[in-house]
Amino acid sequence: MTENTGRSGAASRRKRLVAGPKNLLDLEAGQVPEQVVLELKRRVLDIEAGYREIAQKMGQLYMYADRQGLALLTRYLDRPMRNASDNERAMVSILDELQLDASRRTTGSN
């Protein structure tokens, strides 16, 4: 007899989240109040702006090192630069989903 620890549900949710942010709030079955969605949007916007700034600075550092002929440094910067860009894109995707959810709520309330 196996004991149900609830882990399969959490593992299933993680697998769905790994697939992408689409309908993130749908996983919560409509239980997210509008003020929470607005606060999530505000926080994600703040994080996204920070990631965007970091990605831009990483790009500037990379280009400067490249112009100076510092091939080892530019090779070393490849991964952090990609990560900064990937993180920014992830935040944009989450923000898009939050905005889509907010527009669905507005449309659904009319």
Side-chain angles (χ1 to χ4, degrees):
M1 177 184 229
T2 61
E3 184 180 322
N4 184 358
T5 61
R7 290 183 185 164
S8 64
S12 175
R13 180 177 290 180
R14 277 193 303 274
K15 286 179 186 174
R16 284 183 284 177
L17 289 175
V18 168
K22 298 298 179 212
N23 301 316
L24 281 177
L25 297 179
D26 288 349
L27 294 175
E28 305 297 331
Q31 301 172 1
V32 183
E34 185 174 354
Q35 73 259 18
V36 172
V37 173
L38 292 174
E39 181 61 16
L40 288 169
K41 280 176 57 176
R42 186 193 66 75
R43 291 177 185 218
V44 169
L45 273 169
D46 188 45
I47 293 167
E48 188 273 331
Y51 277 131
R52 184 174 354 107
E53 184 178 350
I54 290 169
Q56 289 169 352
K57 287 180 179 183
M58 287 293 299
Q60 291 167 359
L61 173 62
Y62 184 92
M63 289 185 299
Y64 181 78
D66 187 50
R67 281 193 309 264
Q68 300 307 313
L70 303 171
L72 288 175
L73 179 57
T74 57
R75 242 179 286 150
Y76 186 75
L77 289 171
D78 278 342
R79 176 177 270 168
M81 193 171 73
R82 266 195 312 275
N83 288 345
S85 294
D86 290 346
N87 290 339
E88 180 195 358
R89 281 192 295 273
M91 288 296 110
V92 168
S93 292
I94 292 169
L95 181 60
D96 287 347
E97 182 56 34
L98 290 170
Q99 289 173 330
L100 188 63
D101 181 78
S103 72
R104 278 190 226 127
R105 290 170 186 253
T106 303
T107 306
S109 66
N110 287 337

